[in-house]
Amino acid sequence: MENIWRWMLITAIAPVAWGSTYVVTATWLPADAPLWGAVWRALPAGLLLLLFVRVLPRGVWWWRSLVLGVLNIGAFFVLIYVAAQLLPSSIASMIMAMAPVAMMLVAWGVIREKPQLFSLVGAGLGFAGVIALLATGSGPINVSGVLASLAAMLMSSVGFIFTKRWSGSAPLLPMTAWQLTMGGAAIIPVAFVVEGVPAPVTASEFGAFAYLSLVATLAAFVGWNLGLRKLPAGAVGLIGLLNPVTGVLLGVAFAGETLTPLQLGGIGLVFAGILIGQAPVRAAVVRGARALLPRRRRVDGGADVVEQPRIPRRDETPALKDAA
């Protein structure tokens, strides 16, 4: 169980780091070049990790790296950009909060990992918490934006499950390096078409991009991919709900925002949903439930008899015997 908690904490690095990108982007990066921002975030991280591992893809891993890079990074970032242009951020985040259920269903079909009841309950609690955390009731709902956000959520869910399925045939760091490099490179032609030639990067922007690339991308994807190797897909998806929670809390800490009672309740629901879907908590609940239920014993004839707790007689209780 100790190892499971360790893998959970390592996996949590990713959504916490991803949640910090909102404050970093809003504070230090230009808002009119998100696609080139995605390139500067993913491609240097992939190339740096590739330089460290010094291992190129072989055989099927050339096309697998491209598929995972496009699903998890390239197309995902482009669709998130489209959704951000067409939807309020709260609505887009709520749609992304359906990712745990999507990952469970995809894992069921692709790797035969059947969803656990506790995980589904946790996903429901987490989704309700995200709604309470982000619901503002403002902003129009654009159908194209909803479709883009849904596509981004589904593509990343499929990409993460195939990352889990194929992870046994490649080491963690090289596989992550290949994904980041392929994904970052895939955004370049789209960025040229949509945003044109990239603008020069200032000193403050360079520091922000360095953080996003090294921490919110390289370290985050290493931790996330490690979690996919060590934990069930549903558990990893639930941990991903820390993303919007982190974004809101950092907004409170650095942007002077305030939390309403509804938002505090939403944070509590998210944490409850994450925890209830994890194996140690699930095992503790099952043990507690079994301890409270009456035990059964077999008697002659094969019938089950419920064995109720027996109250000892007075002469069988040491304390009462001594008193007598």
Side-chain angles (χ1 to χ4, degrees):
M1 289 298 180
E2 290 182 2
N3 285 338
I4 294 178
W5 287 110
R6 183 193 310 163
W7 303 136
M8 287 169 55
L9 290 174
I10 293 174
T11 306
I13 293 172
V16 170
W18 294 335
S20 70
T21 61
Y22 306 123
V23 172
V24 173
T25 301
T27 305
W28 288 289
L29 295 180
D32 56 349
L35 292 180
W36 279 115
V39 173
W40 304 143
R41 175 182 170 184
L43 190 56
L47 292 175
L48 184 63
L49 190 56
L50 190 61
L51 183 63
F52 175 76
V53 298
R54 297 179 181 274
V55 178
L56 291 176
R58 295 180 181 178
V60 296
W61 269 104
W62 281 107
W63 67 264
R64 285 182 177 180
S65 299
L66 179 61
V67 169
L68 296 180
V70 169
L71 289 176
N72 296 337
I73 299 163
F76 176 76
F77 283 161
V78 173
L79 288 169
I80 285 294
Y81 163 59
V82 173
Q85 297 294 317
L86 299 176
L87 286 177
S89 59
S90 59
I91 301 298
S93 297
M94 289 177 199
I95 293 173
M96 292 302 298
M98 293 189 289
V101 173
M103 287 181 63
M104 292 180 207
L105 295 178
V106 175
W108 193 4
V110 174
I111 59 177
R112 300 296 185 267
E113 188 178 285
K114 189 175 181 180
Q116 299 290 326
L117 175 61
F118 279 83
S119 297
L120 292 172
V121 171
L125 289 175
F127 183 67
V130 171
I131 291 177
L133 186 65
L134 300 174
T136 60
S138 62
I141 298 180
N142 184 290
V143 175
S144 298
V146 170
L147 292 176
S149 190
L150 280 172
M153 182 270 294
L154 292 173
M155 289 183 72
S156 63
S157 298
V158 172
F160 291 147
I161 297 307
F162 274 97
T163 298
K164 183 176 181 67
R165 178 178 181 178
W166 293 333
S167 62
S169 62
L172 172 66
L173 294 182
M175 186 190 71
T176 305
W178 303 335
Q179 286 186 59
L180 293 173
T181 303
M182 294 284 196
I187 308 173
I188 293 177
V190 182
F192 267 117
V193 172
V194 176
E195 299 175 357
V197 178
V201 177
T202 65
S204 62
E205 291 172 353
F206 180 84
F209 279 129
Y211 169 80
L212 292 179
S213 185
L214 297 177
V215 177
T217 303
L218 195 158
F221 272 95
V222 169
W224 188 256
N225 288 341
L226 181 60
L228 288 171
R229 290 173 180 241
K230 300 294 185 179
L231 298 172
V236 175
L238 287 171
I239 294 172
L241 293 174
L242 290 173
N243 185 334
V245 173
T246 302
V248 170
L249 293 179
L250 287 178
V252 172
F254 294 100
E257 300 173 4
T258 58
L259 288 175
T260 65
L262 180 62
Q263 288 178 310
L264 289 172
I267 291 174
L269 282 176
V270 170
F271 278 105
I274 292 172
L275 289 175
I276 201 172
Q278 306 303 319
V281 177
R282 183 167 62 246
V285 172
V286 171
R287 286 196 303 268
R290 287 176 177 173
L292 294 175
L293 292 175
R295 291 177 296 176
R296 294 179 179 270
R297 60 183 176 87
R298 305 287 289 184
V299 298
D300 292 342
D304 283 341
V305 176
V306 176
E307 191 176 89
Q308 300 291 347
R310 191 171 70 89
I311 301 174
R313 298 193 305 272
R314 184 175 184 275
D315 58 350
E316 292 178 332
T317 306
L320 296 179
K321 288 178 65 178
D322 293 343

